[in-house]
Amino acid sequence: MLEEPIRYGEMMEIKWLKVLYPRCAEQVGEGWDALIAGLGEEAVPEVFSEFLETSTVSRPAYLPDLARLELAVHELQAMPAPAVLEEGGALQINPSLTLLPLQWRHLCSVLWNRERQLVPELGQEFVLLYKIPAQGQVRVRPASEKDLLALKVLAEHLDRQKVADEAGVPVGTVDAAIEEACHKGLLLSPPSAIQRTAAHYPAEGPHGWQRHLRSEYFTLQWHVTQACDLHCKHCYDRSAISPLTLEQGKLILDQFREFVLEQRVHGQVTFTGGNPLLYAHFTELYREAAQRNFTIAILGNPTTRKVLESLQQIQPLSFYQVSLEGLAEHNDSIRGAGHFQRIMEFLEILQELSIYSMVMLTLTRENMGQVLELAEILRGKVDLFTFNRLSQTGEGAGLAAADTENYRGFLEEFLQAAKSNPTISLKDNLINILKAEQGLAPFGGCTGFGCGAAFNFCSLLPDGDLHACRKFQSPIGNVLDSSLLELYRSAAAERYRLGPEECRGCKIRPVCGGCQAVIQSSGLDISKQKDPYCFLGGGDQ
């Protein structure tokens, strides 16, 4: 196709035909001249498809529709690219979009795929033609049912819930169609409202830090129950908290849906506990989350293949995370006899069911020397292995935290090992200090945005109490008393988002902020003092 738009007035006679309609000419072949002989020299491109419909010269029956499609492409090329929406704008249909109804299918294949061209067949098809905002790339493709649904909802200003009810589908089906249309560029959405404030902007930083200022997703880590079939030595909370009813759970999911729509992000619900599978209504709650277009993950203990298969039928898991605390003997001393072997067998089941698997280790002084050996054992058996530092909270107060003096050396070895072991994943924010020193682009840190406490991540306890992070006492409020959106915008949440004063202005702040759980459990003030493990020199901040 032509890179530049055609200027019809500059063409002599009807030479524009092969320029504007090259695929039509190819489909006709040697009979092209005979076909266009009856077209007057004063004709304009807009009448060519009508001429083809009335022509008695032999030609493919689909040629008039193909001509309409080719002309629409050239008209689109002449349009300016739409602008990216600014904050404060409203969700809208891409102004460059044309929805072209055709009576023949697969004409887009004729237009673009010369080598693997599909044979046109009679049957109605809507073709979408539009430009990607700012970039200007031309997109031409058949419209799917989901595309048409999203466009109808926006064009007619329809209520999503009513549309879903009339169609007999969950409202998440409508949400998903609109979200997908935004990703494709059919719909234009203002940017995510989950954005770091200016307090997190360093004067300068490593290349790439700017992309960690705005999140396109939000994770609600939901501890649906305190019930657990393990009794780990570092458990953060073994207190008795009565779980919510299923009806209360549905209301919370509705709140979360309203929150992600308002903030213009995608929502993920990560079910955990305790052991979330011990919640009496877990399957029903899982289904309700799926029906609201949330990505779903589980942080839990091993379960049966049957349970996993039943969940996968509702909606495939984003991931399933389990825990190991080191090599077999040490792990079982923390989590119970036989736990290591059960995890290894469970990882095989996850692999067989193609469920993305993750293993998390809580780093202590005692297991620091086992981490890399465990990573080698897990190579090829798990998709992702990483660690969190111990927060000496709850029963974890009885364990020794990792040695601060040796921590930098440990991170250097871990980062080096990650280069050759694809199972190892980076999570600890302080690794970005090493990356900055080496002139490497930063990674996202703990939640993709450094410390994501109350930023793109919150923890919900079984009774509805919302915390910035489960690993430390960080109360924001209760979702049964105030909406999730109100709590997120509260002064309490903002304090956790800001993090320590000593971190502000640091060149890697957007991808770090240390670990507030470690700060608090070390007896420091999370609003003022930085992570005690931070080894970034004062002169570099």
Side-chain angles (χ1 to χ4, degrees), residues 23-36 48-68 104 122:
R23 299 295 180 265
C24 287
E26 285 181 4
Q27 298 300 303
V28 176
E30 293 181 357
W32 178 255
D33 290 340
L35 176 65
I36 66 172
F48 185 56
S49 61
E50 297 175 8
F51 165 76
L52 291 176
E53 288 177 345
T54 59
S55 174
T56 58
V57 177
S58 177
R59 46 89 178 158
Y62 56 81
L63 207 65
D65 265 5
L66 182 59
R68 292 188 185 94
W104 287 82
L122 194 61

Side-chain angles (χ1 to χ4, degrees), residues 23 68 80 101 117 140 160 221 249 252 296 316 327 341 358 360 379 385 392 394 429 432 440 505 516 533:
R23 299 295 180 265
R68 292 188 185 94
Q117 179 178 308
V140 180
R160 297 189 191 190
Q221 186 185 85
I252 289 172
I296 306 176
L327 303 180
Q341 185 58 35
M358 297 170 58
M360 180 66 67
R379 183 193 287 262
F385 167 66
Q392 293 173 296
N429 294 328
N432 274 318
L440 301 175
Q516 294 188 57
Y533 287 78

Side-chain angles (χ1 to χ4, degrees), residues 99-114:
L99 183 63
L100 184 66
L102 300 175
Q103 299 306 311
W104 287 82
R105 298 166 53 83
H106 308 317
L107 294 185
C108 289
S109 176
V110 175
L111 192 68
W112 302 115
N113 301 323
R114 290 185 177 182

Side-chain angles (χ1 to χ4, degrees), residues 406-422:
N406 297 323
Y407 194 60
R408 177 186 176 118
F410 167 77
L411 289 185
E412 289 173 339
E413 292 179 3
F414 189 81
L415 185 57
Q416 183 62 33
K419 296 177 181 179
S420 59
N421 187 341

